[in-house]
Amino acid sequence: DDPTVLERCVADGRVLVTCNVRDFRPLVEARLAAGEALPGVLLLSPRTYPQGTRSFGAIIERLAAILDAHAGSALPFGMEWL
């Protein structure tokens, strides 16, 4: 379930990338409001990245650009739109 996925990402120090905005946004907002740790969540906009295999390349390119821009440092966000 979604809370378990988020907790696992937090425990592993991993950024979560999801198009499931409806379920994850409230979970993330609650963590941030409580001051709890969060490595980060990137929300995929279905308008920018329609679901399907044709969006994979664009998503990977955008993620690579974010990682390159922050090489060797923590990503500077709690929750952002990709």
Side-chain angles (χ1 to χ4, degrees):
D1 70 330
D2 298 330
T4 302
V5 170
L6 183 58
E7 289 302 320
R8 181 61 186 257
C9 288
V10 170
D12 291 347
R14 298 186 183 273
V15 173
L16 175 67
V17 179
T18 183
C19 60
N20 186 354
V21 175
R22 184 185 68 204
D23 293 336
F24 279 99
R25 191 174 196 175
L27 295 172
V28 171
E29 287 173 345
R31 284 193 73 88
L32 293 173
E36 297 176 2
L38 183 70
V41 174
L42 292 172
L43 304 172
L44 295 174
S45 167
R47 290 183 188 145
T48 305
Y49 303 103
Q51 289 188 1
T53 57
R54 289 186 282 177
S55 294
F56 287 155
I59 293 168
I60 291 169
E61 287 176 9
R62 183 69 179 118
L63 290 171
I66 291 169
L67 292 174
D68 286 345
H70 300 285
S73 63
L75 296 173
F77 54 79
M79 178 171 58
E80 294 288 333
W81 287 95
L82 186 63

